[in-house]
């Protein structure tokens, strides 16, 4: 498809969006069902209107269990006067790859304008104390490859039900609650933790499979386990949280798991802990925290037939991360910086050493940084950096010349939000190192590549209502 | 029963207990049974502070005006204007239209009284001393050459306000400046609907029109410094 045709398609797409918007000119926002519940616009809860970055108000909205607003109380059986608590997100993109050989990027969306992601949201205020965030996502390009084709995937995405209460005194403020969700760190309200960083737009990243991350940051913790946690936030300053996550293979809680959990590791009860210090001064807000999880992951995996191998030996991943955030929120300027430094100690079961891994223990250090500026909640730029260093392990990381897991990537992005629920952007993922090398000596399927071969760029438009 | 099942059962129990409505600690903006005081605590405090002026001693984001000691009549009028969408400055639309859409007159009155009775405190933010001095002169003397009367005439010598005329002392300079811009109909109201962002503040339209951009910032800086 020529660039001209692509531009005309994008123009036609924008016109369609404009028509849709003209039909619904009122409030719509990041998760618009929440906007309909409070009647506020995106910028109330999201920094410069950019989801998923949460403002101070957005953090409190989530910590108080998504219950602020005027959804009727179930007990009183009031008639629902507002739109149903459902939202839809649609994202289309055209992606480009430096290398589109079958076997590396397969039939990934290297040359087509595609509707890539469709998400449905439900939830919001259920009672005075209970609320939910429920997301279901379909992706044209999922995480698995059949032959040279990337298979589509759909299933439950980030989902959480919360009970929360808030007790205020003349000089005190205590928010506390409990939750059930399907991913560790999904509960968090600062955009420094694994679930809520580097996910600003969904896209097919050609280098993901070759760029190892900590267990806590990996797909293994996404919607393949169920967690129960409790938290408290004192005086808008001190935050503490504890949770336990576990894979479930039968029973009602399995509705929280992605249908395609086949092949995901089974997790024994694994504790998650979070502490954070939060300080807000005028338009500035700061957060400094620590979070960590000890994950016990079976080498046997979940099976689609419902028979899961709990007998497999167990690997242990001890992850601890320091994280920090700074935000400046005052129209017309919105600015946010996030950082996370993670350290992982992985201990592998004896039967894995020599077959899946070379070493009985490995370490992995992950650095994540991003900075975002938005002007008038319309024009924005973002720069993200992610890098990993760790133990060399020829069996675990066969691609690099010395078994190194090290990689580095920079991701600049610019975007424009002509309306608060439409975002059009361009981003480029630029790998400067992979497999411990910056040169052209990566071995993948018998062919040599350089880190740049995994670069991914994307022109996208997302619409949410 | 496995441990996880026990945990899930306990959670379900907790959720069931929570299903009971709790009007004393509710964040339900559509329930007329929830008092204005409870809404001030559970919802408004998130941006305006528990006492209408700070949160745990630290200054609020200037997007959100200090409300402590504000004139009750003024607060009631503004809440009503958010409720009926007649106040249309950007922040009002973004933040306040929705939150006030189902408030009852009783809740609005109670909210206004609550904040009027909170103790105002000095604003810790400091403006440029030269601008503050120039702003003080404007506040006391006005700008006769531009037909701008002294602000103190209506707002009081200490900018404490009077009934429908708001208290301005200690207010965020950024908020005051943005409101002065909202009053301003410099570009011509026929062609610019935003010129009527605060159509009920008729008196302020002419005054804001007479102030230069720099003078608006100066008087805002001065008012922020007042206690």
């Amino acid at each position: 498809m020529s660039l001209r045709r692509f531009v005309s398609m994008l123009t036609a797409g924008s016109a369609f969006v404009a028509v849709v918007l003209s039909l619904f000119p009122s409030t719509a926002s990041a998760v618009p069902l929440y906007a309909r519940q409070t009647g506020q616009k995106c910028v109330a809860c999201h920094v410069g209107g950019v989801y998923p970055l949460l403002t101070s108000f957005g953090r409190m909205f989530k910590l108080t269990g998504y219950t602020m607003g005027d959804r009727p109380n179930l007990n009183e059986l009031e008639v629902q006067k507002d739109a149903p608590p459902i939202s839809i997100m649609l994202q289309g993109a055209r992606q480009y790859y430096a290398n589109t050989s079958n076997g590396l990027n397969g039939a990934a969306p290297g040359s087509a304008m595609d509707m890539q992601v469709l998400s449905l949201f439900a939830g919001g205020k259920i009672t005075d104390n209970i609320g939910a965030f429920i997301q279901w996502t379909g992706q044209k390009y999922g995480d698995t490859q059949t032959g040279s084709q990337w298979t589509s995937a759909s299933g439950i995405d980030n989902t959480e039900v919360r009970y929360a209460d808030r007790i205020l005194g003349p000089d005190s403020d205590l928010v506390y609650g409990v939750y059930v969700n399907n991913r560790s760190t999904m509960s968090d309200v600062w955009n420094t933790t694994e679930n809520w960083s580097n996910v600003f737009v969904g896209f097919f990243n050609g280098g993901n499979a070759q760029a190892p991350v900590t267990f806590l940051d990996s797909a293994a913790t996404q919607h393949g386990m169920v967690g129960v946690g409790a938290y408290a936030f004192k005086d808008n300053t001190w935050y503490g949280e504890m949770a336990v996550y576990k894979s479930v293979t039968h029973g009602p809680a399995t509705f929280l798991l992605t249908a395609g959990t086949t092949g995901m590791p089974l997790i024994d009860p694994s504790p998650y802990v979070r502490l954070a210090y939060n300080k807000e001064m005028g338009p500035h807000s700061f957060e400094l925290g620590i979070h960590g999880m000890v994950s016990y992951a079976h080498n046997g995996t979940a099976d689609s037939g419902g028979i899961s191998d709990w007998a497999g030996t167990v690997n242990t991943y001890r992850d601890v991360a320091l994280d920090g955030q700074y935000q400046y929120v005052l129209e017309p300027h919105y600015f946010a910086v996030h950082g996370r430094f993670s350290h992982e100690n992985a201990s592998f079961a004896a039967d894995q050493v020599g077959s899946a891994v070379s070493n009985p223990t490995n370490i992995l250090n992950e650095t994540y940084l991003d900075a975002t500026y938005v002007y008038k909640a319309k024009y924005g730029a973002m720069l993200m950096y992610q890098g990993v260093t760790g133990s060399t392990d020829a069996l675990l990381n066969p691609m690099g010349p010395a078994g190194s897991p090290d990689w580095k990537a920079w991701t600049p992005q610019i975007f424009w939000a002509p309306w608060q629920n439409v975002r059009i952007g361009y981003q480029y993922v630029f790998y400067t190192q992979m497999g411990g090398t910056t040169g052209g000596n990566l071995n993948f399927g018998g062919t040599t590549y350089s880190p740049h071969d995994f670069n991914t760029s994307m022109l996208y438009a997302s619409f949410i209502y | 029963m496995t441990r996880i099942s026990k945990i899930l059962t306990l959670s379900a129990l907790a959720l069931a207990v929570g299903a009971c409505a709790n009007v004393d600690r509710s964040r339900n903006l559509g329930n007329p049974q929830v008092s204005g005081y409870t809404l001030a605590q559970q919802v408004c405090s998130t941006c305006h502070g528990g006492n209408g002026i700070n949160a745990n001693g630290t200054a609020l984001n200037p997007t959100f005006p200090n409300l402590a000691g504000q004139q009750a009549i003024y607060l009631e009028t503004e809440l009503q204007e958010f409720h009926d969408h007649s106040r249309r400055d950007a922040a009002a639309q973004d933040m306040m239209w929705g939150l006030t859409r189902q408030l009852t007159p009783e809740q609005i009155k109670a909210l206004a009284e609550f904040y009027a009775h909170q103790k105002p405190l000095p604003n810790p933010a400091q403006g440029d001393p030269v601008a503050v001095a120039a702003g003080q002169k404007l506040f006391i003397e006005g700008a006769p050459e531009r037909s701008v009367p002294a602000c103190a005439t209506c707002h009081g010598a200490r900018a404490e306000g009077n009934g429908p005329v708001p208290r301005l002392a200690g207010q965020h300079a950024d908020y005051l400046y943005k409101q002065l811009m909202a009053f301003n109909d410099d570009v011509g109201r026929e062609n610019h609907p935003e010129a009527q962002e605060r159509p009920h503040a008729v008196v302020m339209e002419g005054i804001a029109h007479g102030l230069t951009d720099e003078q608006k910032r100066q008087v805002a800086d001065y008012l922020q410094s007042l206690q």
Side-chain angles (χ1 to χ4, degrees), chain A residues 95-112 145 148 150 204 206 449 452-456:
Chain A
Q95 293 197 220
Y96 300 85
Y97 292 89
N99 187 308
T100 54
S101 306
N102 283 352
L104 176 54
N105 287 324
S111 60
Q145 199 173 353
S148 65
W150 291 87
F204 181 87
Y449 295 98
H452 300 329
D453 290 331
F454 298 89
N455 292 356
T456 306

Side-chain angles (χ1 to χ4, degrees), chain B residues 47-68:
Chain B
C47 296
H48 292 284
N51 54 5
I53 197 154
N54 64 26
N56 311 301
T58 54
L60 303 173
N61 187 311
T63 308
F64 312 112
N66 288 329
L67 303 178

Side-chain angles (χ1 to χ4, degrees), chain A residues 35-41 43-44 56-57 60 64 67-73 75-76 78 81-82 125 127-130 161-169 171-173 176 178 180 226 228 235-237 244 246 248 253 269 279-283 329-332, chain B residues 2-4 7-8 11-12 14-34 37-38 40-47 50-51 55-64 90 93-102 172 174 178:
Chain A
R36 287 188 275 268
Q37 178 176 311
T38 65
Q40 295 177 305
K41 291 192 178 173
V43 292
S56 174
F57 182 81
M60 197 55 90
T64 51
T67 58
M68 271 187 214
D70 56 16
R71 177 133 316 124
N73 189 319
N75 283 351
E76 296 165 19
E78 294 171 24
K81 286 178 278 191
D82 208 334
K125 184 182 183 72
T127 74
D128 274 358
N129 295 95
I130 298 174
V161 180
R162 255 175 214 252
Y163 169 93
D165 200 357
R166 185 177 188 183
I167 300 170
L168 289 122
D171 296 307
S172 69
D173 179 359
Y176 67 94
V178 293
V180 178
V226 174
V228 178
D235 296 333
N236 212 20
T237 305
V244 178
K246 184 186 183 302
V248 286
K279 180 80 175 169
E280 290 171 15
M281 291 182 294
V329 176
L330 186 60
E331 172 70 20
Chain B
T2 63
R3 260 180 299 175
I4 195 79
I7 291 167
L8 286 172
S11 303
L15 297 179
V17 169
C20 304
N22 183 357
V23 292
D24 292 333
R25 293 211 292 270
S26 175
R27 291 168 288 281
N28 190 343
L29 291 162
N31 182 354
Q33 305 303 316
V34 179
Y37 175 76
T38 297
Q41 295 280 292
Q42 293 286 333
V43 179
C44 314
S45 71
T46 307
C47 296
N51 54 5
N56 311 301
T58 54
L60 303 173
N61 187 311
T63 308
F64 312 112
Q93 295 193 33
D94 292 351
M95 312 287 172
M96 293 303 296
W97 279 15
L99 294 178
T100 55
R101 64 187 164 187
Q102 302 223 48
H172 308 295
D174 183 85
K178 284 174 178 163

